[in-house]
Amino acid sequence: MLVYFQKNISCRCFVISRSFCTVASLIERELLKIQSKAMKGDKDGYAVDNMETSACSRDEETQQQPEMICEGKAKVVYKSGQVFYNKAQAFNRDLSVLMLDYFVSTYLKELEQDKKLQHSRSLSCQPKAGLKRCKYAQWMQEGASNHFSVFEAFSATGLRSIRYAAEVPNLFPIIANDMDEAAYETIQQSISLNANVQDKVFANLGEATDVMYKHRLGASQLDIIDLDPYGTAAPFVDAAIQSVKHRGLLCVTSTDMRSLAGVQGGICFARYGSVPCTWPKAYRNEVGLRILLNFLQQTASRYGKYVEPLLAVFIDFYVRVFVRVHESGLEAQRSIQHQAYVYACSSCPSYFLQPLGAIKNYGEANEKVVCAKGPPVEQQDCPYCHSQLSLHGPIYTGPIYQSKVVEQLLHQLETDPKWSYLPCKDRLRGFLTVLGHECADIPLFVDSNDMSKLLRTSPPPQAAIREVLRKRGYRVSTCHWKPTALKTDAPIELLWDIMRIWARRNGMNNIKPHDAASRILATEPVHISEDEINFEIRKDALNSCQSVTRYPPLEKHHGPGKRATGKRKGTKFIPGEEEEEKDLEDEL
């Protein structure tokens, strides 16, 4: 047995060694073939490799070959992948041009009034001989400069800065800044293409906060600062608030709607100090917009300033705000009356506001900031569907726009021929028309579609609901991005009574005995009777305007573009942005 085992092992080793030698010989044979082809020069193989190499080089040249982009009165160079550019932001740039033109004209009028006031004071109170006047009085007496400095923190292609210089008068100097070398080179090339702005726009290579902090004191402060980063603008707001002049304009764009109005509550709290609203989905974008305004106000209050919103809107997939920054410690304290928490129901669209504070007057010249009274509801649950309430905010509860601003912008678009070239003129007219009818000082709204969906019935005609509320003396409007919104100062109880009457008249489907719909319908209408409502009304003043497209459909792939790589190495992204960008792309 032992002899047989030894023989068997030796045979197996021989077979393995023989097979191993066979594989080794095959490998050596293939290596010899490759070596011989290389020594002889395989023309066919070289041709194929050369064709592949040339094709790759042509693809790289095509990707790196710059293209020309014309928008408004500006021409810029765009190199795909190297510099960020998004065609969908053309509406943003058109709106910004209009707003800067309005700000410049308004500020010039204010300077004229200040000069007249200062002149009248100087006549009534002449300084004594030998005394020097203050520099501000001397500056006002001699006449202020009519030029307004602009700092665009994230210029990329330089398109926005060049459009400002070419389309808005009295803007000088305009600093087109970017921290990426590829963007800096692109800005320089774009400026050279526009001969009429070469003495107004200046390219700058630097980090945005470093540049702004260098302009935070004295005469070096800037009149207009525009923040339009890729993602959140939160890290740059502090520097911008300190660097903008008294009564200057701050323009902010934030595209991080996944944190401002989404499920990333932790990221939103880390950036803005507020908790976003995830339900109901109807008004969570407005909550995000008001969170940003509240963050701007809280930042300004640290430096004895306050912000005055001229225009704050939600557009497509981002928020855009235009605020004037004023220096006043008293108004910074009073801003507490425009801050509140939101108690939102987890099942129905009902919500309740809890202000943070109020102003109480103790005589003509004596006022004090006091705590607000609360809570806004008697019990911990929703009084209508008895579901749990969730807490969000704080948010800004003041007006999100000024009526005179929207009226002036709309008047210019319709009457002034100089704005006929704007790429998004028609959409701007429709957008501003809807915005002009919105109740800007009423925070949040309810969606009639959400209410009818909860009650498992078809949506009622909105014109009929609006007509009922107007007859009762309440204000009501839609929202500039939500056509089914009911933004009103009427109590939520009245709206639920209207929906109860509609549901019983129109019919309901699959109502379960213990769900939110059954609990809402269990209460009888007490604030309005069925005879007071005419559901046959289909049109009113808000939906009878057919001259403009109020809610135009968006183009395909109309959303945030991909981040440009540029020439930066090891770029540090803000925590949470990578997941946010991926989620936003999936959602769109």
Side-chain angles (χ1 to χ4, degrees), residues 200-425:
K200 297 180 180 180
V201 185
F202 304 94
N204 184 70
L205 179 64
E207 203 276 327
T209 54
D210 289 343
V211 178
M212 286 188 287
Y213 278 133
K214 292 177 182 178
H215 292 82
R216 70 182 187 275
L217 297 175
S220 64
Q221 287 185 318
L222 302 158
D223 295 297
I224 302 170
I225 295 180
D226 196 325
L227 301 178
D228 191 358
Y230 191 93
T232 178
F236 314 100
V237 168
D238 183 85
I241 290 290
Q242 293 189 61
S243 304
V244 69
K245 285 183 179 179
H246 171 53
R247 297 190 296 182
L249 181 67
L250 176 60
C251 317
V252 182
T253 301
S254 275
T255 59
D256 59 330
M257 296 308 296
R258 292 289 296 177
S259 62
L260 277 173
V263 295
Q264 297 174 334
I267 297 177
C268 182
F269 182 79
R271 293 176 181 174
Y272 304 98
S274 295
V275 179
C277 182
T278 57
W279 173 263
K281 295 182 179 180
Y283 60 72
R284 64 179 183 177
N285 290 326
E286 183 172 347
V287 171
L289 173 64
R290 292 182 178 274
I291 284 176
L292 177 59
L293 287 173
N294 184 74
F295 176 69
L296 294 177
Q297 179 55 63
Q298 288 184 341
T299 306
S301 298
R302 300 190 190 105
Y303 307 103
K305 300 181 179 181
Y306 75 98
V307 297
E308 176 193 8
L310 299 182
L311 189 69
V313 291
F314 171 78
I315 306 169
D316 301 341
F317 55 89
Y318 59 92
V319 290
R320 178 68 165 170
V321 301
F322 302 89
V323 297
R324 294 191 71 175
V325 182
H326 303 268
E327 295 180 358
S328 174
L330 180 60
E331 291 297 332
Q333 298 177 31
R334 289 175 176 171
S335 64
I336 193 174
Q337 61 185 337
H338 296 307
Q339 300 180 27
Y341 285 100
V342 181
Y343 286 88
C345 180
S346 57
S347 297
C348 73
S350 304
Y351 66 90
F352 311 91
L353 296 177
Q354 172 60 59
L356 269 67
I359 306 297
K360 191 171 183 179
N361 294 321
Y362 296 92
E364 295 182 357
N366 187 10
E367 65 178 27
K368 186 179 179 180
V369 176
V370 296
C371 297
K373 305 300 180 182
V377 289
E378 296 179 358
Q379 62 271 16
Q380 295 181 354
D381 297 335
C382 175
Y384 309 111
C385 67
H386 307 291
S387 299
Q388 192 174 7
L389 297 176
S390 57
L391 182 65
H392 310 284
I395 65 171
Y396 176 82
T397 57
I400 59 174
Y401 76 88
Q402 295 184 8
S403 300
K404 60 180 181 180
V405 176
V406 176
E407 292 174 0
Q408 181 66 22
L409 296 182
L410 191 58
H411 178 73
Q412 289 182 4
L413 275 179
E414 294 178 345
T415 60
D416 198 339
K418 75 175 185 178
W419 303 115
S420 59
Y421 68 91
L422 291 177
C424 303
K425 180 183 177 182

Side-chain angles (χ1 to χ4, degrees), residues 347 384-387 500 512-523:
S347 297
Y384 309 111
C385 67
H386 307 291
S387 299
R500 291 186 185 103
K512 297 180 181 179
H514 299 292
D515 61 357
S518 63
R519 292 193 292 267
I520 292 174
L521 294 172
T523 304

Side-chain angles (χ1 to χ4, degrees), residues 20 38 45 60 93 96 101 117 129 168 201 229 250 269 271 308 327 429 518 557 582:
F20 179 79
E60 292 178 358
R93 290 184 284 269
S96 301
D101 184 79
L117 180 62
V168 182
V201 185
L250 176 60
F269 182 79
R271 293 176 181 174
E308 176 193 8
E327 295 180 358
R429 288 179 63 239
S518 63
H557 307 301
K582 183 179 182 300

